[in-house]
């Protein structure tokens, strides 16, 4: 069985602070994929990034960066110099080699960025 | 490219009634999945369809069903509604069944059962 744990239920920061959202996963698959999605107040989940189990290279995209570590089964997400528009619920998700549509989602972390 | 569309956006139903929700995937996407989102349970997988066949099903009672049409559009049906069915129902489409495909989500249908 697959499991995704996002231990941080809610995080509140002041604009321009850096913030890291934690994601820990469990799977018995040797091939798997990890995702981060953002759900703004409008409700529509937006895909942010995908990582496969064979690629532990960290990635940076603007103010966003992701740290994937198989040794600790973690896929953490850092927002640098946070902005009010970053306020949203962030979900980490896990899928196996097939059937991306059956992804297992964490419970989400609600990030509030205050001006 | 148009995104995933879901209709209706809001629904209010009475306990015991049934409801049908519709989802149109992104053009060219053949896999459609449905999720139920509630404050207490988070995002729960309902089912996934590909080529008009249900490929996976989550842990939901038989009152929840769905289907996919030849144009990849999908519907889900909930019969004998219960108060606990009140939720945001999200549809997501992806290119095919490959595990590495990201999902594109629609805005959801918010169902309220009274």
């Amino acid at each position: 069985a697959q499991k995704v744990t996002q231990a941080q239920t809610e995080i509140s920061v002041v604009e321009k602070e850096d913030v890291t959202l934690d994601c820990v996963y469990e799977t018995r698959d040797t091939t798997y994929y990890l995702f981060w999605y953002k759900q703004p107040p409008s409700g529509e989940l937006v895909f942010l990034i995908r990582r496969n189990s064979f690629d532990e290279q960290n990635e940076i995209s603007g103010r966003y960066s992701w740290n994937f570590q198989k040794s600790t089964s973690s896929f953490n997400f850092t927002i640098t110099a946070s902005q009010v528009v970053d306020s949203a619920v962030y979900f980490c998700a896990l899928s196996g080699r097939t059937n991306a549509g059956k992804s297992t989602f964490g419970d989400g972390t609600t990030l509030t960025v205050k001006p | 490219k148009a995104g995933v569309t879901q209709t209706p956006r809001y629904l209010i139903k009475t306990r015991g009634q049934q409801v049908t929700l519709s989802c149109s995937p992104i053009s060219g996407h053949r896999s459609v999945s449905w999720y139920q989102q509630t404050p207490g349970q988070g995002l729960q997988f309902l089912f996934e369809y590909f080529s008009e066949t249900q490929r996976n099903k989550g842990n939901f009672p038989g009152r929840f069903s769905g289907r996919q049409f030849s144009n990849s559009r999908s519907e889900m049906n909930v019969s004998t509604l219960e108060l606990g069915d009140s939720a945001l129902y999200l549809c997501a489409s992806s290119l095919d069944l490959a595990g590495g495909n990201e999902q594109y989500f629609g805005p959801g249908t918010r169902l309220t059962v009274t």
Side-chain angles (χ1 to χ4, degrees):
Chain A
Q2 298 181 328
K3 185 177 180 181
V4 176
T5 302
Q6 295 180 253
Q8 305 149 308
T9 305
E10 296 182 13
I11 300 176
S12 180
V13 299
V14 176
E15 208 169 20
K16 297 185 183 177
E17 283 186 22
D18 298 347
V19 58
T20 295
L21 310 181
D22 298 332
C23 172
V24 175
Y25 63 93
E26 295 176 29
T27 180
R28 294 181 180 177
D29 293 339
T30 54
T31 300
Y32 54 88
Y33 299 85
L34 293 160
F35 304 82
W36 275 96
Y37 291 88
K38 173 183 179 180
Q39 186 177 37
S42 60
E44 195 165 330
L45 273 81
V46 176
F47 164 77
L48 294 177
I49 191 172
R50 169 192 52 238
R51 261 289 169 269
N52 72 54
S53 52
F54 299 108
D55 182 5
E56 287 192 72
Q57 191 172 20
N58 292 328
E59 182 160 336
I60 298 175
S61 176
R63 297 184 297 107
Y64 294 172
S65 63
W66 291 269
N67 184 349
F68 175 31
Q69 290 194 329
K70 286 181 74 171
S71 61
T72 55
S73 297
S74 65
F75 186 42
N76 297 335
F77 173 28
T78 297
I79 301 175
T80 303
S82 58
Q83 300 177 0
V84 173
V85 293
D86 295 327
S87 296
V89 183
Y90 291 86
F91 290 93
C92 181
L94 168 68
S95 72
R97 186 170 59 84
T98 59
N99 302 323
K102 194 188 173 187
S103 295
T104 299
F105 283 78
D107 289 337
T109 297
T110 300
L111 173 65
T112 302
V113 182
K114 299 177 181 177
Chain B
K1 225 180 207 183
V4 177
T5 58
Q6 291 186 246
T7 56
R9 293 292 311 277
Y10 302 91
L11 264 179
I12 299 177
K13 289 286 188 179
T14 303
R15 197 168 41 181
Q17 289 186 313
Q18 77 166 27
V19 65
T20 299
L21 312 181
S22 181
C23 170
S24 292
I26 289 174
S27 177
H29 284 193
R30 297 169 63 196
S31 172
V32 174
S33 296
W34 290 89
Y35 294 85
Q36 180 195 66
Q37 186 177 22
T38 58
Q41 299 296 319
L43 268 162
Q44 302 287 313
F45 170 76
L46 279 158
F47 22 65
E48 177 184 26
Y49 286 89
F50 181 80
S51 292
E52 302 177 65
T53 302
Q54 187 180 93
R55 302 293 175 147
N56 285 291
K57 190 177 193 307
N59 189 24
F60 279 83
R63 300 185 297 105
F64 291 81
S65 63
R67 59 177 175 168
Q68 186 181 34
F69 302 95
S70 58
N71 61 358
S72 294
R73 191 176 69 84
S74 177
E75 288 181 348
M76 68 162 280
N77 185 76
V78 188
S79 62
T80 319
L81 284 166
E82 300 177 359
L83 295 179
D85 297 333
S86 294
L88 180 66
Y89 290 88
L90 293 166
C91 167
S93 78
S94 58
L95 202 55
D96 51 41
L97 289 175
N101 288 327
E102 64 268 28
Q103 295 181 82
Y104 293 85
F105 285 80
T109 294
R110 185 163 296 282
L111 171 64
T112 302
V113 182
T114 62

